[in-house]
Amino acid sequence: QVQLVESGGGLVQAGGSLRLSCAASGRTSSSYVMGWFRQAPGKEREFVTAISGSGLLTRYVDSVKGRFTISSDNAKNTVYLQMNSLKPEDTAVYYCAAGPRFSSDYDGYNYWGQGTQVTVSS
């Protein structure tokens, strides 16, 4: 079992920045792919980004390319999501996830965090 805990969400004005953190514990593996998803009210959960266990491969949804950056720190068992130039449409609950293979699909991940709220005001 793997436990994931997100932090760093909050309220920010459009154009501002936030950094989310996801700390992993339990039976973690260096081979796990780590991903971020988000869900806005009334919408389905959406893939945002993912990083391979090695940290060498990343993938982003088109709407955040050039603004968001995913990174990992193996020594801390933590993955980060740096969000710059935030827009109101980025408002959502952001979820951290871990899975055995690289995937942009919701069902490709085995473990999920509880989510952290990000609100971007106009």
Side-chain angles (χ1 to χ4, degrees), residues 5-18:
V5 179
E6 303 98 333
S7 62
L11 175 64
V12 65
Q13 293 184 356
S17 298
L18 285 173

Side-chain angles (χ1 to χ4, degrees), residues 2 29-35 51-53 97-103 105-111:
V2 175
S29 171
S30 61
S31 65
Y32 274 131
V33 170
M34 302 296 297
I51 187 168
S52 64
R101 64 185 187 276
F102 207 95
S103 176
D105 296 324
Y106 179 92
D107 59 3
Y109 294 84
N110 301 110
Y111 306 102

Side-chain angles (χ1 to χ4, degrees), residues 41-97:
K43 297 183 179 180
E44 295 184 353
R45 193 166 297 187
E46 174 192 32
F47 172 81
V48 178
T49 182
I51 187 168
S52 64
S54 67
L56 299 177
L57 296 175
T58 59
R59 182 177 296 168
Y60 298 89
V61 67
D62 287 345
S63 61
V64 309
K65 288 180 179 178
R67 300 189 298 120
F68 291 11
T69 303
I70 189 170
S71 61
S72 60
D73 185 338
N74 289 335
K76 297 181 178 180
N77 276 338
T78 301
V79 64
Y80 303 95
L81 181 62
Q82 179 67 47
M83 305 185 294
N84 299 326
S85 301
L86 283 162
K87 304 175 180 179
E89 52 262 44
D90 295 318
T91 295
V93 176
Y94 282 71
Y95 296 91
C96 178

